[in-house]
Amino acid sequence: MTTFPIDADRLRAEAVAILRENDLGGYTIPTRGLYPFQWNWDSCLVALGLAHVDEDRALGEIETLVAHQWPDGMIPHIVFHADHETYFPGPDVWGTARATPTSGITQPPVLGYALRRLLDTARDRTMVAPRVAALLPKVAAWHRWFATARDPHRTGLVAILHPWESGRDNAIDWDEALARVPTEGVGSYVRRDTTHVDAAQRPTKAEYDRYLWLVQRFRSLAWDQATLHDASPFRVVDPGFNAILIRSAEDLAALAQALDAPELAAEAQAQAARGRTALEGLWHDGLGQYAAFDRAAGTLVESASIGGLLPLLALEPGHPRAQALVARLAALRGAVRHPVPSHDPADPRFDRLRYWRGPLWLIANRLVADGLARHGRADAAGEIARDGLALVAKSGFGEYFDPLDGRALGGKRFSWTAAMVLEFLETNRA
Ligand code: GLC
């Protein structure tokens, strides 16, 4: 466990300064240079931090994102509000033909979850409630899109069709499925990420080739979301992603109930219930946690990542699997100096530096802490919050961190890290 004096005022001031710096007017970029556009789940999580400072701006962040929802209901993973040479693949590679260019894939649907937190903690409920109410039909449309486009055979669980959709881009969970993606015809390209960040902390070229092949394949299908699922060689059911969707459906139901939209509430409740039942199919006895399911191969993936712990967010309180996940987390916390690693360090594939193959991410910690609190472990949740604050006080607002020595990795002055610091300062005080 970390011990380091925490100067809360200094941390708060620095977090607020970073969010201001990365505010390009109505939307917040993750960080300058490396990620110069609006990212979907970054913005929703950033809104949680902004809410402690400026509730109007927090809602604006989400409204700007949702304004770029596709007619079919999908909310894209990137909105390219302005041109930037510092990022690849840019709008031309995606070729989605949207008025304001966007990518053609999505990201973990934390939107419903974020909106509920914004309303539950609102200081100015008169301002916040109607704006949240206006967003609910759009959240519902996105969730409906998931239930059809990403679960066309009605299993109760949705697949991601690209590793970038998971938000955990190069997780070990995707290795086998990604290895089956061809690379013919990808052509040559120049990556920009490795000009901003040490290549040892980023995905490999072999991974990038396949990321691009998938984008090109989907573009050749004119981004017709109804056809992509069955046409993609990469179809993986991520327990973390599904847990987030189930939780957002539960939160949407609660919001709809509170804001006088009973039909939406019933629909969202039913979607959450279907998801919860189906989630059980992702339990992996050998790993003692949930695991991804490779839908194209029909097998559970042998990979103990943080994705398999996120169902804590969605399981009903008292669910028998929750205790097992709490125990897994306790073991992981004992295995590294700075929890929670994004992958089990006992696995030989663990890599302390490389992105989602080992490093700890404050947003994942925030979600895990929420899950622990949901299952009666406010003590463990509080420790995660305090560890995170001490880590940032020592190492700065990095994109992610080495779980063994705590050094900051990836992009610097990172928005969602700043937002999670504001969240942790608040939950810690509460
Ligand atoms: C990386 C992360 C993803 C995040 C994005 C912007 O792609 O893996 O989760 O949304 O960067 O911060």
Side-chain angles (χ1 to χ4, degrees):
M1 167 124 82
T2 332
T3 49
F4 196 84
I6 298 170
D7 179 346
D9 291 341
R10 187 183 68 79
L11 271 183
R12 178 175 290 105
E14 189 69 356
V16 171
I18 290 173
L19 291 177
R20 291 230 167 90
E21 226 168 85
N22 291 335
D23 182 345
L24 296 198
Y27 68 96
T28 306
I29 59 172
T31 186
R32 302 240 165 204
L34 183 63
Y35 300 121
F37 308 107
Q38 185 175 27
W39 260 258
N40 183 325
W41 77 320
D42 293 64
S43 269
C44 296
L45 295 168
V46 158
L48 299 183
L50 286 171
H52 301 299
V53 188
D54 181 346
E55 292 185 311
D56 171 53
R57 181 63 189 80
L59 279 159
E61 183 74 27
I62 289 180
E63 287 160 350
T64 306
L65 173 73
V66 173
H68 297 276
Q69 183 167 36
W70 284 21
D72 65 5
M74 183 183 77
I75 304 184
H77 105 288
I78 304 175
V79 182
F80 298 104
H81 290 280
D83 283 346
H84 278 281
E85 290 304 302
T86 57
Y87 183 79
F88 176 86
D92 323 340
V93 180
W94 290 94
T96 55
R98 302 275 307 153
T100 298
T102 72
S103 72
I105 58 173
T106 194
Q107 255 195 332
V110 288
L111 174 58
Y113 168 77
L115 287 177
R116 182 169 184 192
R117 182 148 171 79
L118 291 188
L119 186 67
D120 282 355
T121 58
R123 292 180 301 279
D124 185 353
R125 206 179 155 93
T126 324
M127 185 272 288
V128 173
R131 288 170 71 179
V132 169
L135 287 162
L136 296 187
K138 304 182 179 181
V139 183
W142 191 21
H143 289 184
R144 247 173 251 135
W145 173 85
F146 273 115
T148 51
R150 296 316 176 77
D151 184 20
H153 309 294
R154 300 287 185 273
T155 66
L157 296 173
V158 302
I160 52 162
L161 306 185
H162 193 297
W164 288 341
E165 292 200 303
S166 69
R168 298 184 295 116
D169 303 10
N170 68 335
I172 291 166
D173 307 10
W174 328 131
D175 285 0
E176 282 167 37
L178 196 62
R180 287 196 306 269
V181 172
T183 57
E184 284 78 49
V186 163
S188 63
Y189 57 91
V190 181
R191 279 173 72 172
R192 302 287 174 188
D193 58 323
T194 44
T195 64
H196 305 289
V197 172
D198 185 344
Q201 299 171 23
R202 297 285 309 175
T204 62
K205 167 153 171 46
E207 284 161 339
Y208 247 80
D209 287 349
R210 291 171 171 83
Y211 297 157
L212 290 173
W213 189 93
L214 287 168
V215 170
Q216 292 174 6
R217 171 89 176 112
F218 301 153
R219 191 185 56 199
S220 76
L221 296 166
W223 297 105
D224 173 5
Q225 299 286 338
T227 64
L228 302 191
H229 180 278
D230 289 356
S232 176
F234 185 94
R235 301 195 292 281
V236 183
V237 180
D238 172 12
F241 193 103
N242 277 278
I244 286 170
L245 179 59
I246 294 165
R247 173 61 180 271
S248 273
E250 173 187 314
D251 288 342
L252 170 61
L255 287 171
Q257 200 64 53
L259 298 172
D260 215 19
E263 280 168 25
L264 272 192
E267 181 192 358
Q269 199 60 63
Q271 188 173 4
R274 262 197 317 278
R276 268 195 211 100
T277 307
L279 198 57
E280 187 54 23
L282 303 182
W283 181 258
H284 188 305
D285 257 331
L287 298 177
Q289 62 168 76
Y290 291 87
F293 177 73
D294 186 336
R295 196 172 262 176
T299 50
L300 270 185
V301 182
E302 299 293 322
S303 178
S305 77
I306 199 162
L309 305 174
L310 291 180
L312 273 179
L313 281 172
L315 296 174
E316 302 275 19
H319 192 287
R321 298 291 187 211
Q323 286 324 306
L325 296 183
V326 170
R328 276 284 296 149
L329 271 163
L332 286 174
R333 289 170 52 76
V336 294
R337 180 131 171 250
H338 302 280
V340 179
S342 48
H343 196 85
D344 188 339
D347 185 329
R349 298 167 295 180
F350 167 85
D351 182 338
R352 63 193 282 188
L353 297 182
R354 214 181 276 279
Y355 220 36
W356 288 98
R357 303 174 76 87
L360 86 93
W361 293 69
L362 237 51
I363 54 130
N365 281 13
R366 174 75 187 88
L367 295 173
V368 163
D370 186 306
L372 285 166
R374 176 180 173 98
H375 295 280
R377 295 302 309 271
D379 54 334
E383 278 175 31
I384 288 185
R386 285 186 294 279
D387 283 353
L389 293 172
L391 179 61
V392 173
K394 183 179 85 164
S395 303
F397 290 77
E399 183 180 7
Y400 43 98
F401 300 86
D402 181 332
L404 304 183
D405 66 12
R407 94 189 100 141
L409 302 168
K412 302 205 170 17
R413 300 184 72 73
F414 221 86
S415 294
W416 69 10
T417 304
M420 296 303 101
V421 163
L422 295 173
E423 273 281 82
F424 280 145
L425 285 169
E426 191 58 36
T427 56
N428 199 36
R429 207 174 42 165

